[in-house]
Amino acid sequence: MDNLAAVSTEPVKVTVTGAAGNIAYSLLWRIASGDVFGAERHVDLTLLETPEHVHAAQGVAMELADSALHLVRNITVTDDQKTGFDGVNAAFLVGAKPRGKGESRADMLEANGRIFVAQGRSINESAAQDVRVLVVGNPANTNAYIASKAAPDVPAERFNALMRLDHNRGLSMLSDYLGVPASKIDSLVVWGNHSDTQFPDIEFLRVGGKSVTEQIDRGWYENEFIPRVALRGAEIIKVRGHSSAASAASAAVDHMRDWVSGTGGRWVTVAQPSTGEYGVDEGLVFGFPTTAINGRQTVVPGLDINDFQRERIDANITALRAEAAIADELFT
Ligand code: NAX
């Protein structure tokens, strides 16, 4: 089964970790309604949680059952990783350990590292041959790097991290600025890490096939757009009182749907293991401009990168290199 979008009587097996959490509470319903794998495709859902929260995940499964969604064949709730990833075709790794009070990003990375080593190993042992893994839990890029490293038998390109939310945030702001629907805007990319070093780049931006970069005020771009996209998560927390949940789920749906069904030539941002593109160290999970066709993703090749872009891409390489160095210690 190479293309998950194909009409099939065989259900697609989907695992969502962090199933009792905020993002999953939106994501599960979108998957179960056919928004990822299509309105013709049945799904077997596995809700994976920690032993402390598996009971709450049972409650989520009860609500899913109460929704009587016709595409859902089976729902499994478990705190056992091996069961959780058994035969899985698509895994959304949402569950992660949040940063505690006084903890640095490095502390958070180490705590999460253990989770993602264990999950990578279980995926390596138990997943279906065509498994696709989307890491949402933060620090998402390096968690994906760790999970991939712990799963040597799964091709590295099957591990992605979510930067589509950053991409969608950028599209929405540009849509307001340019006065055109977001769906008409193409060739935005958010390079790098899902953190405040990320680089939302408008250098290649097009509307209706024509470059619109010249129409965008440079001051607005550098001083408002870039920092506002990068810090949008904090802005949401300040206003809503909770971190992004439905928009994160929506971005995860967009990401996996496009991975499976293709982007129709449009660019999306995918954080994926580098094979050396644009000077990014091989293996780092980096946000790149990406197209997808027939279930395969390709980094947009051959773009000219100017000094402004280079400096910001390099800052992300440096940050992710430092995270990878901490992560690598988990394997020694
Ligand atoms: P919640 O705290 O509401 O839920 C997380 C759930 O994960 C909890 O129920 C917890 O028990 C579970 N969990 C923890 N470790 C687990 C493990 N080893 N196996 C299974 N379940 C586990 O967080 P929520 O708001 O749902 O956010 C989840 C993650 O997404 C966080 O790490 C968050 O930082 C990250 N985000 C990533 C985004 C992105 O664009 N990549 C944006 C949104 C969000 O900030």
Side-chain angles (χ1 to χ4, degrees), residues 17-18 20-24 48-50 53 81 94-97 115 119 136-138 140 162 165-166 194 243-244 248:
T17 73
N22 287 310
I23 294 174
L48 181 61
E49 255 296 345
T50 57
H53 293 119
Q81 228 134 237
V94 181
K97 190 183 169 297
I115 294 174
Q119 292 186 348
V136 177
N138 278 321
L162 183 71
L165 178 56
D166 310 295
H194 174 67
S243 58
S244 307

Side-chain angles (χ1 to χ4, degrees), residues 41 61 102 176:
R41 195 73 194 269
D176 279 351

